[in-house]
Amino acid sequence: MLAERPWEALPPEIAPALRPGVGELAEEMIEAIRAAVPAYARPLEGAVAEGVRAGVEGALSQFLDVVEDGHAGPLPGRVLYADLGRGEARAGRSLEALLAAYRIGARVAWRRAADRARELEMDDEVLALLAESIFAYIDELSAASAEGFAREQSAAAGEADRRRAALARLLIQRPPADPAAVELAARDAGMELPARLVAVVWAPREGDRTASRLPIGSLAFADGELACALVPDPDAPGRRAEIARAFGRRTAALGPFVPWQEAGRSARRATEVHRLIVAGAIEADGLVWAQEHLTTLLIERDPSLLAELADRRLAPLARAGPAARARLLETLGAWLEHHGSVPDVARAIHVHPQTVRYRLNQLRELFGEDLDDPEARFELLVVTRARGLRGRSWPE
């Protein structure tokens, strides 16, 4: 079984024997890395050269220190190697170049250390342990750099997400933001504003990854109990289906397709549709498009006004008993929806046509001329439809 820190088993006296050649070994390692790793092939001059040389010598000296001191804990100076990983991420390079440099350095170090160990006539067991220690040490440095690289990438991604979310909020704020401020925020987020977009609103769950499944270029954020995303190019072929797939059977509301300057209108419309879905006024199974529910949005815009209209127009039903009132209200709504066609009303409410005629006679007695007045009929249609949408039981 391989030891986690094999250098702990090396004889401490090996460190002083290897230390005199550290400076020369560092130069050899730097040249080998420059020759083998294209990312580091540029000439090293001035302060940069001194920094690289000091870093390589420091790594070699630290290795000899932990051998000599019998260091058993985490490597000292681990932050330095994590910072090297961060630097690679900031420079836009992959981590592979740095890890390749570590591997090349380890090979050079082992070759020189092995030559020196043979000069000192160390036995094969010590040589094998020395080799294992050098490569295990490099693995530790590589792990520290990989951690720093990952942290920097995560921080950069988090900052990018923050800027994109800020842009989305700016696009939908009310009153609308200055277009110049929006364009500046888009540049800051590294994005090009789409000609048209659409807002989609949903209730996020813990650890929700829905936004990552939306089309490329979407801007998403969460505020309170709702999340909102602005999806570019909503008119593109298959785009609406693509959005729907991101949610599956989960409930979400899609606003109208608008220019980016009107993103706030799309977001508000989607939010209102989502509210009506939660209230039970709109049935939902997956993605719901606001443009398919404009009548409901109009009817439900002011619930208090709607209730007042219902109280006034449905007041005649108060003269009927509770059971009869429900039957008559259902019949009235179907009669208005089907333009007075008795057969269609009968099919809609699953009763015999004769029953419909009987109930219509009762409604005539209760509502009188209102059933023939266009304005009254329109208002009755509005309140009976709204009652069906919201489950109200007017009048009491």
Side-chain angles (χ1 to χ4, degrees):
M1 180 177 178
L2 293 176
E4 184 178 353
R5 294 180 175 84
W7 53 81
E8 296 170 10
L10 282 169
E13 59 270 18
I14 198 174
L18 296 175
R19 203 178 292 278
V22 163
E24 185 179 343
L25 176 56
E27 291 291 346
E28 186 177 346
M29 289 170 65
I30 291 170
E31 288 307 311
I33 290 168
R34 289 184 59 222
V37 184
Y40 303 126
R42 63 186 182 280
L44 299 177
E45 300 174 344
V48 174
E50 291 179 10
V52 171
R53 190 173 296 108
V56 174
E57 289 186 14
L60 292 170
S61 296
Q62 179 180 280
F63 173 70
L64 296 176
D65 289 343
V66 297
V67 171
E68 189 169 12
D69 299 339
H71 189 82
L75 287 179
R78 197 173 191 276
V79 172
L80 169 64
Y81 305 104
D83 285 343
L84 288 175
R86 289 192 179 93
E88 294 298 286
R90 292 191 191 111
R93 291 190 291 264
S94 74
L95 189 60
E96 184 53 38
L98 181 59
L99 298 185
Y102 283 155
R103 292 192 296 270
I104 296 295
R107 288 169 57 188
V108 173
W110 162 237
R111 186 175 63 240
R112 288 292 300 273
D115 290 344
R116 180 60 177 153
R118 291 191 189 96
E119 290 174 6
L120 298 172
E121 297 182 346
M122 295 180 181
D123 60 40
D124 291 343
E125 185 177 345
V126 172
L127 277 172
L129 190 57
L130 178 59
E132 184 181 347
S133 298
I134 289 173
F135 287 100
Y137 178 74
I138 290 299
D139 283 345
E140 289 251 357
L141 303 190
S142 298
S145 293
E147 180 182 329
F149 186 88
R151 288 183 180 275
E152 182 63 28
Q153 280 196 323
S154 178
E159 177 61 18
D161 287 345
R162 186 196 66 77
R163 293 182 181 185
R164 289 161 66 87
L167 173 60
R169 290 186 174 93
L170 194 64
L171 279 164
I172 69 169
Q173 78 171 34
R174 195 172 190 177
D178 187 302
V182 176
E183 290 169 356
L184 180 61
R187 286 196 296 272
D188 189 47
M191 295 199 63
E192 183 176 344
L193 290 167
R196 286 168 64 78
L197 53 75
V198 63
V200 57
V201 169
W202 72 98
R205 301 168 179 166
E206 186 175 354
D208 199 327
R209 301 288 298 166
T210 303
S212 66
R213 296 192 294 270
L214 288 169
I216 294 173
S218 298
L219 301 169
F221 67 94
D223 279 334
E225 297 180 354
L226 291 181
C228 176
L230 302 178
V231 182
D233 305 320
D235 303 298
R239 180 51 53 88
R240 185 176 164 189
E242 191 178 358
I243 299 171
R245 282 195 298 273
F247 291 95
R249 299 291 294 274
R250 288 186 61 189
T251 298
L254 194 69
F257 302 170
V258 296
W260 69 259
Q261 294 88 344
E262 299 178 31
R265 177 166 68 88
S266 185
R268 287 189 293 275
R269 187 74 55 78
T271 301
E272 181 64 12
V273 169
H274 193 276
R275 182 187 70 79
L276 294 176
I277 291 171
V278 173
I282 295 176
E283 294 184 1
D285 182 17
L287 190 67
V288 176
W289 194 26
Q291 300 306 89
E292 295 174 349
H293 297 273
L294 294 179
T295 300
T296 304
L297 284 165
L298 181 63
I299 290 174
E300 300 289 332
R301 176 68 64 177
D302 188 339
S304 63
L305 185 61
L306 187 60
E308 289 179 23
L309 182 61
D311 287 343
R312 182 166 68 88
R313 281 300 176 192
L314 299 180
L317 288 177
R319 286 179 276 165
R325 185 187 310 157
R327 292 193 296 269
L328 291 173
L329 188 54
E330 178 187 42
T331 305
L332 175 61
W335 180 74
L336 292 165
E337 291 276 0
H338 293 282
H339 308 287
S341 169
V342 171
D344 289 342
V345 173
R347 281 190 293 270
I349 63 176
H350 309 292
V351 298
H352 194 277
Q354 189 58 39
T355 302
V356 172
R357 294 186 183 92
Y358 172 73
R359 293 180 186 176
L360 288 175
N361 287 335
Q362 291 181 288
L363 288 168
R364 285 283 179 188
E365 292 178 4
L366 293 172
F367 287 89
E369 295 180 356
D370 281 352
L371 295 185
D372 298 314
D373 180 77
E375 183 175 350
R377 284 165 63 103
F378 172 74
E379 292 180 352
L380 283 168
L381 176 61
V382 169
V383 297
T384 54
R385 176 175 291 182
R387 177 187 178 278
L389 290 169
R390 299 182 64 92
R392 290 195 180 98
S393 55
W394 302 311
E396 297 296 336

